[in-house]
Amino acid sequence: MFSINGTTYTSTSNTITSDLSRITGVTINLKGIDEEGGVTTLTIEKDKESVANAVSDIVDAYNELISNVDKEIAKGGSLDDQFSLKLIRNQIRSLMTSTLSGMTVFKNLDAIGIASDKATAGNVSTSTVNVLSFDKNKFLDAFDSDLDALKNL
């Protein structure tokens, strides 16, 4: 027997899954019995560091993809005549850098820390503006300020 927020449950196993506890995505492994009936507090928090690391991995994978495609579709590259691939590459880049209408808090990935390098008067090379960077602190701020808006984006 165990209780969650004052509701008592019984189980034939020490492994409590979300179908019994109603805590989505959480499995609780009960390790022992408190003979004195004491209270054990279990705190469950979102692992925002893991989420930020996963987003960083996505940015790295995007940069690698764009770099590899750019190399192959460049003049003299093995796929330089593949206009469909060039179109797909441009559409992917547009998805990662565009501003979305209808969003109220975060309108683009730049607002949550995923940005392309900005072209400047001294540097207009596509090799820099096609690369995304990830600002983990900006992402974590967005995560803390409005998780629902972050998910919607």
Side-chain angles (χ1 to χ4, degrees), residues 71-89:
K71 183 174 78 176
E72 297 304 322
I73 63 174
K75 186 167 179 82
S78 62
L79 300 172
D80 70 343
D81 61 343
Q82 298 299 310
F83 296 106
S84 294
L85 182 58
K86 292 175 185 181
L87 179 63
I88 292 169
R89 176 226 175 266

Side-chain angles (χ1 to χ4, degrees), residues 15-74:
T15 301
I16 311 304
T17 58
S18 61
D19 56 334
L20 181 59
S21 70
R22 306 291 188 253
I23 305 171
T24 303
V26 175
T27 299
I28 302 168
N29 293 308
L30 303 174
K31 298 291 185 180
I33 299 172
D34 184 344
E35 300 290 343
E36 298 175 19
V39 174
T40 300
T41 301
L42 173 66
T43 303
I44 301 171
E45 298 176 341
K46 293 183 182 346
D47 186 359
K48 61 185 175 183
E49 287 291 324
S50 291
V51 174
N53 290 338
V55 171
S56 179
D57 290 346
I58 290 169
V59 170
D60 292 343
Y62 167 86
N63 287 335
E64 183 178 359
L65 171 70
I66 294 299
S67 174
N68 289 336
V69 170
D70 282 351
K71 183 174 78 176
E72 297 304 322
I73 63 174

Side-chain angles (χ1 to χ4, degrees), residues 120-144:
T120 63
N123 185 7
V124 293
S125 169
T126 57
S127 65
T128 58
V129 296
N130 288 335
V131 174
L132 294 180
S133 61
F134 179 61
D135 182 337
K136 185 176 182 179
N137 291 328
K138 190 172 182 179
F139 177 82
L140 292 174
D141 288 344
F143 189 102
D144 289 336

